[in-house]
Amino acid sequence: MNNWKNNLRNIEPYVPGEQSKEKNIVKLNANENPYPPSPMAVKAIKEYCADSLRFYPPADATPLKQAIASFYGVNVENVFVGNGSDDVIALAFQSFFNGSEPILFPDITYSFYPVWCRLFNIDYETPAVDDNFRIVLDDYKKSNGGIVIPNPNAPTSICENIDFVDDLLSFNSDSVVIIDEAYVDFGGVSCVELVKKYENLLVTGTFSKSRSLAGLRIGFAIGSKALISVLEAVKNSYNSYTVDSLSVAAGVASINDREYFNSTVSKIINTRNYMTNQLRAMGFEVLDSSTNFVFASNKNIDIKDMFEYLKSKKVFIRYFDLPRINNYVRITVGTDREVQILLDEIKKYVGD
Ligand code: PMP
């Protein structure tokens, strides 16, 4: 009886930052952009809605791929697009990690990677980052089934330079290396230029952070024709239209509006620097961030308790109850006003 239950998949899913329905909260827990998307993107959505929603999206989202290709100075056949970079990276895991050896990613990193490994039955190892949360390059100089590194890393916010990625690739010519650049626009250096040098490098990116379009779900990958064509084949084996028409229209408008992009990114960087200085002045250790969030700790306080206190004051940040980082919090950079509310509440908490 009920034998079908034995065949159900038992899997522990990734848990994203809480999307509270409460009103008037200060939401600094999901690395969302505090500013609206480019007005050009909103206009493009409205115009598209007026007449064209009854059609399927443009085949293979070609206009969006073209816009991304021209922004990054690559050819259109070097670009893949998907339903958020989560979709793109999940597809890349399925497409490229079919060898017998474990894949490698840091012990402290984006917590979706181990979930995909379990979902797709991919064996993995997690070399430890050092005491300063830096990735130890030598740990990736051994035989492996693939490598995934976010650069900047999350939730540490630390960025490595292009030479680091170049060195990583020069050693690893027998497996696919994915560099997840979800946060690179906030001060990191993109390694897209290395795609011309290394056929086994895939660089992924997203419109969710620096382009304020998390709600639409637009992610992309840039890589050699050899890698991109496999991603296309795997994607087209389960869903031809992962990127909807509104995402194509808004994505194109957004990437073409360079001025708006530059101005929101620089506002966020300025606020991040202010926030970092203020937290340090209150006794926090704050890692040097190249992202739209900071990773902070304070030896003199119970950080989980502070996280709960802030939540009770309607200020939402992110706490990970995980080894090595359970005395840290990740705080998204909000508007100046939101950050001031956060800092005032922390000041009250620390002063208690
Ligand atoms: N990579 C990293 C390191 C992230 O933090 C995130 C956001 N949670 C993603 C990829 C995925 O972002 P999205 O699916 O919104 O593009």
Side-chain angles (χ1 to χ4, degrees), residues 8-303:
L8 300 184
R9 189 72 190 258
N10 178 11
I11 189 150
E12 202 180 309
Y14 170 76
V15 184
E18 191 176 343
Q19 294 293 347
S20 171
K21 298 215 165 43
E22 265 191 76
K23 292 244 153 52
N24 302 322
I25 63 165
V26 175
K27 190 169 181 307
L28 306 176
N29 67 341
N31 295 345
E32 290 146 330
N33 195 310
Y35 301 107
S38 156
M40 308 302 277
V42 177
K43 187 165 167 260
I45 290 177
K46 284 186 183 149
E47 285 173 3
Y48 199 92
C49 281
D51 184 42
S52 306
L53 274 183
R54 62 204 171 89
F55 298 118
Y56 277 107
D60 272 341
T62 305
L64 180 57
K65 284 184 187 166
Q66 279 165 341
I68 293 170
S70 102
F71 186 85
Y72 286 98
V74 296
N75 294 325
V76 75
E77 64 260 27
N78 298 117
V79 180
F80 178 80
V81 290
N83 188 220
S85 58
D86 280 342
D87 178 48
V88 174
I89 302 167
L91 270 165
F93 272 50
Q94 292 178 82
S95 303
F96 307 138
F97 299 153
N98 298 297
S100 53
E101 294 196 77
I103 71 161
L104 309 175
F105 49 83
D107 64 337
I108 297 173
T109 196
Y110 186 30
S111 43
F112 222 142
Y113 301 155
V115 176
W116 286 316
C117 285
R118 289 193 292 269
L119 180 64
F120 305 132
N121 293 316
I122 298 166
D123 197 10
Y124 66 97
E125 280 175 17
T126 56
V129 294
D130 71 14
D131 289 344
N132 297 315
F133 295 113
R134 302 302 289 254
I135 294 165
V136 183
L137 193 52
D138 281 349
D139 291 345
Y140 296 82
K141 293 188 173 177
K142 63 176 195 175
S143 155
N144 62 71
I147 292 176
V148 191
I149 290 184
N151 197 32
N153 196 5
T156 64
S157 78
I158 297 173
C159 190
E160 302 299 340
N161 59 24
I162 294 211
D163 291 345
F164 176 98
V165 181
D166 202 344
D167 196 356
L168 179 72
L169 265 297
S170 64
F171 188 85
N172 286 286
S173 50
D174 289 333
S175 56
V176 172
V177 176
I178 300 176
I179 303 291
D180 172 355
E181 293 192 346
Y183 298 102
V184 77
D185 295 329
F186 300 103
V189 183
S190 173
C191 65
V192 162
E193 69 178 59
L194 293 179
V195 160
K196 295 194 174 100
K197 187 169 171 191
Y198 299 107
E199 234 192 333
N200 58 325
L201 168 65
L202 189 83
V203 182
T204 62
T206 180
F207 283 45
S208 299
K209 315 292 178 185
S210 54
R211 298 187 182 279
S212 311
L213 288 170
L216 276 188
R217 317 299 301 122
I218 307 173
F220 61 93
I222 297 176
S224 63
K225 225 169 134 182
L227 292 185
I228 298 298
S229 61
V230 178
L231 280 175
E232 289 290 351
V234 173
K235 190 255 317 181
N236 287 324
S237 303
Y238 86 95
N239 183 354
S240 313
Y241 301 111
T242 51
V243 180
D244 63 83
S245 308
L246 299 184
S247 298
V248 174
V252 170
S254 163
I255 204 154
N256 289 335
D257 191 353
R258 291 184 189 225
E259 204 179 309
Y260 185 85
F261 170 77
N262 290 335
S263 88
T264 44
V265 164
S266 74
K267 274 198 278 190
I268 290 170
I269 292 173
N270 286 339
T271 310
R272 176 185 76 208
N273 294 344
Y274 171 77
M275 182 173 164
T276 302
N277 292 337
Q278 294 292 308
L279 285 169
R280 284 180 181 157
M282 282 192 275
F284 283 79
E285 180 210 341
V286 184
L287 305 193
D288 284 329
S289 171
S290 298
T291 63
N292 68 334
F293 59 88
V294 299
F295 200 50
S297 177
N298 188 329
K299 285 193 181 67
N300 302 318
I301 61 175
D302 177 344
I303 210 92

